[in-house]
Amino acid sequence: EVAALYEKATSGLLKNNLLLHFAFADYEESRMRMDECHKIYSDLLSNVPDPTLVYIQYMKFARRAEGVPAARAVFKKARDDAKTRYHVYIAGALMEYYTSKSRDIA
């Protein structure tokens, strides 16, 4: 019933509210429904004018759920997107530094 409420909210008047989408993805992650989380982030990436924050949250989710290689794949996708800004690079570097403790990679 909570998932249906989130689905209704994110497809209605609040469809442009990023925090609601992030909360929905976190809820689905807590239910171990990773495919739904990927779908939420992918749909959100195709509907926002500036996907920078979405990519950063998606990288954090991918690292938690699937590990550093999955987060690197999301970062690669963010790098290829012309609409992203420099914040993605900072978040990627910080993630690499704190997860691998290697300054060379970051």
Side-chain angles (χ1 to χ4, degrees):
E1 86 187 31
V2 175
L5 182 65
Y6 272 125
E7 189 70 41
K8 185 177 179 182
T10 57
S11 62
L13 289 173
L14 298 173
K15 65 182 176 184
N16 295 326
N17 188 333
L18 292 178
L19 291 177
L20 188 60
H21 285 276
F22 296 153
F24 186 22
D26 285 343
Y27 173 72
E28 291 294 349
E29 183 183 357
S30 71
R31 295 174 57 197
M32 302 302 287
R33 298 183 65 193
M34 302 309 168
D35 292 335
E36 285 294 319
C37 293
H38 286 292
K39 181 181 175 296
I40 291 166
Y41 284 115
S42 297
D43 291 346
L44 194 55
L45 284 171
S46 63
N47 293 330
V48 294
D50 180 14
T52 305
L53 182 59
V54 179
Y55 275 119
I56 292 170
Q57 289 298 111
Y58 196 10
M59 281 190 322
K60 289 179 180 181
F61 157 73
R63 182 184 48 81
R64 280 192 316 265
E66 300 166 0
V68 175
R72 288 178 182 158
V74 173
F75 177 71
K76 183 180 183 308
K77 199 161 81 167
R79 263 192 358 222
D80 295 339
D81 192 345
K83 296 185 291 184
T84 56
R85 299 187 321 190
Y86 70 93
H87 302 89
V88 171
Y89 292 95
I90 295 170
L94 286 171
M95 181 195 69
E96 288 292 338
Y97 179 73
Y98 286 115
T99 56
S100 66
K101 302 291 186 204
S102 173
R103 293 182 193 175
D104 299 331
I105 295 174

